[in-house]
Amino acid sequence: MTSSSPVPFSHGLRVYWEDTDAGGVVFYANYLKFFERARTEWLRSLGFEQERLRAEQQLMFVVSATNLKYLSPARLDDWLDVSVQVTERGRASMSLFQQARRGEQLLCEGEIRIGCVHSQSFKPSRIPQPILDKVSP
């Protein structure tokens, strides 16, 4: 099942010392953390808190695949806008396209696949229908 949200969600964040290497440039793996924060805030903006989902329904979202392209470095104190856009959704997983920008400049982009799993067994589980309803255009 494929769908695409018309306007991507965007989450702003500041680059801190802890995000950078010795040269003051964002360490490449930290873009995954930035993308994770944006996905968490995206779900929250839709009315779904991940801890509540885990506690009440024993469900969690886990990353099953990533494919990132690094285009330009972010640096200490930069303000970044990190977007989330659904590109595909199924019953137990979704593919998301994410970008990190400094103003108009694209710094990093990639496809992230997330799956819904039972929090104890880590077996794939259906994404709750209220979430699926919200991520459809």
Side-chain angles (χ1 to χ4, degrees), residues 91-103:
R91 287 185 271 179
S93 66
M94 286 186 262
S95 289
L96 307 168
F97 180 67
Q98 294 195 252
Q99 293 182 319
R101 293 180 176 274
R102 179 181 49 236

Side-chain angles (χ1 to χ4, degrees), residues 60-95:
M60 302 185 326
F61 285 105
V62 296
V63 172
S64 60
T66 63
N67 183 13
L68 301 185
K69 186 189 308 185
Y70 302 95
L71 303 162
S72 189
R75 300 181 184 279
L76 179 65
D77 283 333
D78 281 351
W79 182 260
L80 305 182
D81 288 305
V82 183
S83 64
V84 179
Q85 187 167 13
V86 176
T87 57
E88 180 183 343
R89 72 169 181 90
R91 287 185 271 179
S93 66
M94 286 186 262
S95 289

Side-chain angles (χ1 to χ4, degrees), residues 1 10-13 29 31 40 64 66 73 80 82 94-95 105 125 130:
M1 186 176 218
S10 185
H11 173 68
L13 58 90
Y31 287 96
T40 297
S64 60
T66 63
L80 305 182
V82 183
M94 286 186 262
S95 289
Q105 185 177 20
S125 295

Side-chain angles (χ1 to χ4, degrees), residues 12-81:
L13 58 90
R14 175 84 54 206
V15 174
Y16 298 113
W17 274 115
E18 67 190 33
D19 302 319
T20 65
D21 60 18
V25 172
V26 169
F27 181 65
Y28 74 94
N30 285 336
Y31 287 96
L32 290 169
K33 289 198 256 182
F34 299 161
F35 286 177
E36 176 75 29
R37 291 176 198 162
R39 286 192 309 276
T40 297
E41 295 305 324
W42 166 67
L43 282 171
R44 189 184 316 276
S45 78
L46 296 174
F48 305 103
E49 295 177 21
Q50 293 196 70
E51 177 55 21
R52 181 181 235 174
L53 185 65
R54 187 197 61 75
E56 294 177 3
Q57 297 183 46
Q58 291 74 51
L59 296 175
M60 302 185 326
F61 285 105
V62 296
V63 172
S64 60
T66 63
N67 183 13
L68 301 185
K69 186 189 308 185
Y70 302 95
L71 303 162
S72 189
R75 300 181 184 279
L76 179 65
D77 283 333
D78 281 351
W79 182 260
L80 305 182
D81 288 305

